[in-house]
């Protein structure tokens, strides 16, 4: 590792739904809450639309950590998209474990449009957790080894 954790600024990608978490993040901004600026938000209509392969793409592009966040259970604006996302995450998590990917780098959560302060807390906690883990330099070698094994 070339940088110490003190100097390391984690790159976090957040995949969020438009109706709850994105609005909550917007509320955090309009409320002028101070929180870490390490997060790049990618907005989806609903967490049910999030293809979990995008998480691997984010790591491939250099993310050190990921947040997936949407409406609370029973609050999804498309009825059950968040339940689909949660089920998909459970399966995907097993696959990531199998591949050797550190699932501690992915935070799955719910944030409503009224929870700007919760969003700020989640971002700060995620940044602190990922900072403690350090840069995710080993992702590329894990992915490369997995591709070689899959090609056999
Ligand atoms: Fe937010 Fe479905 S609309 S999770």
């Amino acid at each position: 590792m070339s940088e110490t954790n003190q100097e390391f600024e984690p790159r976090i990608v957040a995949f969020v739904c438009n109706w709850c978490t994105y609005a909550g993040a917007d509320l955090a901004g309009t409320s002028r809450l101070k929180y870490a600026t390490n997060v790049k938000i990618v907005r989806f209509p609903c967490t049910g639309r999030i293809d979990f392969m995008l998480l691997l793409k984010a790591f491939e592009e250099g993310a050190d950590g990921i947040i997936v966040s949407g409406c609370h259970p029973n609050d999804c604006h498309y009825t059950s998209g968040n339940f689909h996302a949660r089920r998909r995450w459970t399966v995907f998590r097993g696959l990531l474990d199998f591949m050797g990917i550190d699932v501690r780098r992915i935070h799955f959560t719910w944030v409503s449009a009224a929870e700007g302060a919760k969003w700020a807390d989640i971002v700060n906690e995620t940044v602190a957790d990922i900072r403690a883990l350090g840069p995710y330099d080993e992702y590329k070698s894990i992915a490369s080894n997995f591709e070689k094994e899959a090609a056999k």
Side-chain angles (χ1 to χ4, degrees):
M1 182 174 1
S2 58
E3 345 173 52
T4 68
N5 284 355
Q6 287 295 84
E7 297 164 344
F8 167 54
E9 282 301 333
R11 289 160 294 193
I12 312 291
V13 177
F15 296 100
V16 305
C17 88
N18 180 56
W19 300 104
C20 288
T21 302
Y22 187 80
D26 197 35
L27 178 63
T30 54
S31 303
R32 298 182 177 212
L33 298 178
K34 294 211 181 309
Y35 63 98
T37 57
N38 305 54
V39 174
K40 301 271 187 273
I41 292 179
V42 182
R43 179 168 44 158
F44 284 81
C46 173
T47 53
R49 294 283 295 156
I50 296 172
D51 179 345
F52 281 83
M53 291 304 288
L54 288 172
L55 278 57
L56 296 182
K57 186 70 179 165
F59 283 136
E60 191 180 310
E61 295 294 324
D64 301 299
I66 292 171
I67 297 170
V68 177
S69 183
C71 306
H72 285 268
N74 299 318
D75 285 347
C76 175
H77 290 232
Y78 302 96
T79 311
S80 57
N82 51 3
F83 290 121
H84 290 296
R86 184 168 63 183
R87 258 181 254 132
R88 214 177 297 143
W89 165 238
T90 304
V91 172
F92 195 70
R93 187 185 166 98
L95 176 64
L96 294 180
D97 248 349
F98 175 74
M99 289 175 70
I101 291 172
D102 187 348
V103 292
R104 293 175 301 169
R105 292 181 177 273
I106 304 170
H107 290 206
F108 193 106
T109 187
W110 318 115
V111 173
S112 79
E115 294 178 315
K118 181 179 178 185
W119 173 252
D121 288 345
I122 285 168
V123 169
N124 287 335
E125 286 164 16
T126 303
V127 169
D129 289 351
I130 301 301
R131 184 173 280 128
L133 290 172
Y136 201 18
D137 295 335
E138 64 267 31
Y139 174 77
K140 286 196 172 157
S141 66
I142 290 169
S144 161
N145 289 341
F146 191 76
E147 278 175 21
K148 282 180 202 157
E149 286 299 316
K152 286 183 182 173

